[in-house]
Each structure stands twice: as C-alpha cells, then as structure tokens.
Amino acid sequence: MEMDNKNSGHIAVVGIGPGMESMMTQQALQALDEADVIVGYTVYLDLLGDRFEGKEFLSTPMKQEAERCRMAFAEAAKGKSVAMVCSGDAGIYGMASLMFEIKEELGADAAIEIIPGITAASSGAAVLGAPLNHDFCVISLSDLLTPWELIEKRLRAAAEGDFAVAIYNPSSKKRHDYLQKACDILLETAEPERACGYVRSIGRDGEEYHTCSLAELRNTSVDMFTTVFIGNSQSRIIDGRLVTPRGYHL
Amino acid sequence: MEMDNKNSGHIAVVGIGPGMESMMTQQALQALDEADVIVGYTVYLDLLGDRFEGKEFLSTPMKQEAERCRMAFAEAAKGKSVAMVCSGDAGIYGMASLMFEIKEELGADAAIEIIPGITAASSGAAVLGAPLNHDFCVISLSDLLTPWELIEKRLRAAAEGDFAVAIYNPSSKKRHDYLQKACDILLETAEPERACGYVRSIGRDGEEYHTCSLAELRNTSVDMFTTVFIGNSQSRIIDGRLVTPRGYHL
C-alpha cells in the first residue's frame, strides 16, 4: 500500500537491532542497501561499519530528533529513497512515532515504511536466559521526555500486575540514582528476593550479564549501556540464567 | 561461555519471527543452517519452506511442549547440534523458559543458546504504525496456562499505568469473547475513544491492519492470527496509522 507512492518519496524507518549485522533482519539490510540516503544518530551509523560506504549519510546530534526527521522528509521530497536508522526496534523508543508526527506537521507525501528490529528486551533477555517468557512491561527510566511521576506510576502498576519488567535507560550521568529509586518502588510490592538480572553491551564487545535479587539490584550501579530485567513472582535463577516460566506442567 | 560445552551437545532456541525468511536475523538463519536436527511445532517448520530440506526434523503436536523439549535434549545427548524453532521471539511466549526448566529436570549437560527473533509486538506495530513507541505491556489472553483472574489483574494494571498494550492470543474457538472481556476491563479506566488497532497475519499472505476506538474494538471479532494494540492516553490515529508519541516537542 505504502509502496504505490514511491514517486513522492519513500522513507524506511529501520530498526538495526543491538548493533551486530548478524542480528539485523534481511529486510532491514535490504532497506539500507536500497537507500540513496541514510539518516541517523552517528553512533548507530558507526555500528554499521563499512558495508554502506558510498551512501550519502546525514545526521544530527542527540536532542535534535525532530530536526533529523524533517531532514529525512526533505530528502524524500527530492525523490530520494531514504532510510532512517534506529538502534533496536524502530517502534520501541525509536523514531517511528516521531516520523508520523512530523509527516503530519509538514503535510508531507512521502510514504513511511516501518521495518522492525530486535529490541533490547528481546536481545537482552536472550543473553540473560528467558526473563520475559510471560506477560511483561517495558519501561524507560529516562525522564527527558516523560515526567518522573508517570514513570513511578508505571513501575507501581507493573509490580501490582506481577509483570516481568524490562527497564531501558536505567541510568545516566544526571540520573545515577534512578535505578535505585525504581527498585524502591518495586520493593513496595515485590519481595527483596525477587529474581532479577541485567545485561551490559548487548551484542557488542564486552557483553556481560549478571543475575541478582531485587534487593541486590537496588544497590548495584549500572551504566547507560545496560538493560535491566525484573522477574515476576514465579521467576527463578536456573543454571545461572534468569527464567520466567510460561506455566507449562512438567 | 555456553559454546565451550559443544561436545556435550548444543541446543539453539531460535526465534524465526513472523514467518517470512526476510524477517529472520542472519544469526537465526545460521543457527538453522548449522543444526543437525530441527525440532518444532510443525506449523512453524512449514513456514520455513524448502531451505532446510535434508535436515532431520522432529516435532510433537500442540500441548506436548515439555515432551518436545525432552526430545531436543535427547538429540543433543547423542552429540547432535539441535535447533528448537519458535515463531516470533524464542523468549516471548516461546520455548526458551521451558528449555531451561527441562534442562534442570533432566540434569542435562547441553548448552542452551537463545537466539532472539522479531516478536509480534514489534512486527505488528510496524504494520500498524507506531503503537508501542512509549512504555508498554505485552499480555496474552490465553488462559490455557494462566488463570483468567491473573490476566484480568494485569489488564487492570496496564490501564492504570497508562501503558500502551500489545495483546497476544486475543481469541480462539473456545475463547471467542475474551477480547470483549478484556476491553470491558480496560474501559473501566480508559476512555471509549482510546485509539486502538489490530493486525492480522503479520508478515504472511493476507496481512491486513485496522485502526479503531476501544469501544469499537470491544465489538470486533478477531481470530487467533491477530495481534491487538491498545494505545495509551496520548495515542492518536495519524494518516490511518496508530501512533503513540514518545513525547518529543515538535
């Protein structure tokens, strides 16, 4: 449907997964191969290495995401095929929603195609074991775009619903105590022994994973390259991995 | 780390995504290429087509998942390289957690490697627009392995936390009114106009998507091949797609 519109420009918003080419889908690779212009935050572009040498690359610094989207539409309006690169999945804390909002703002004709990628909830879970193998929530602790009160409300709701939880953006220089604050909220409902874990540098050099209790997690420092996993009340550490059972009878 | 153990058997639990080969990662394809034996529910094996002709295939019917896992460990114990196939992501309602539980039950030596895939939350969201572009929950309405009361509790918590929600297994022959029941619970908190949508046969022949309000969704019949998306309070229909903003200032 979207493809009929090719002559008024085509923009693929492409999730590239954690960073290794082997964790991209063939569909994502093909979208980048076919693009005239690749737009994206430079850190993600660097992950792609030499494969796309010779492409035209456009980027903006962090915090200029709306401008980056407008740039993509400007290129598409010239008749170019554009790929907008996102780490992980394009539609999970990625640029997909902003692209639709900017399309509306500009009244742009370009067709938007979203190409999904492996998000850190999936790739991190695979490293850690199977922490999200039942109903789960994904929550970002970044309060750059979201009031902290809403983040707190969601953490409380996640614990009350006995969801497994994947936590994105658990820390940054300005937010060094956010994971501790999040754990304190979860501990209002969840037991201190709750099985948890975290994965650093998923799919990249220096990848490492750790399991721990919720009480231990509260006193752990993690960096911004870490994804944190909180088990539900049935989760266990098996063979050093964090496992949330689906509920099968053995 | 896991790979050191190769001589006592190696089992890759592989998420193949929605079904098209182009939506598998290269890592997943490689794991299947390298396997001596591919184990999995026959419907998923059929999706793979001819590419893996010549491999040894083993399967069990639905509801014999634990037996299927034991079969995988039995093959691995013979020194074979085994791939266990899951649709979507291996660790999201997939076989990953059960494999760790069965490994523990058997005291098996085989190393388990989880290879993530694109889950329906990601692939369906990409078709529908960007419904999960802020904090979200994934909830299955199947009560085969989960008490319905717990599913209700999670739906309530999701609405109270103003999460976007992806609903898996929204319907089956025996559970034709479960989506209606789920919508009624969400409607205790969410407004009837809440932006929603659903995608049928993601990445397969006959793929289709629809947007609607929560009140309309309540009165819609969907089948078991459908993934349903509930927006949060900020979600909107833009250009016929369901979009949950990340919160960027335009």
Side-chain angles (χ1 to χ4, degrees), chain B residues 136-155:
Chain B
F136 67 95
C137 298
V138 176
I139 302 176
S140 166
L141 297 192
S142 170
D143 61 353
L144 279 176
L145 303 171
T146 307
W148 176 254
E149 295 66 34
L150 180 54
I151 298 170
E152 286 201 351
K153 181 167 110 165
R154 287 182 175 154
L155 289 164

Side-chain angles (χ1 to χ4, degrees), chain B residues 40 44 234:
Chain B
Y44 308 151
Q234 305 305 305

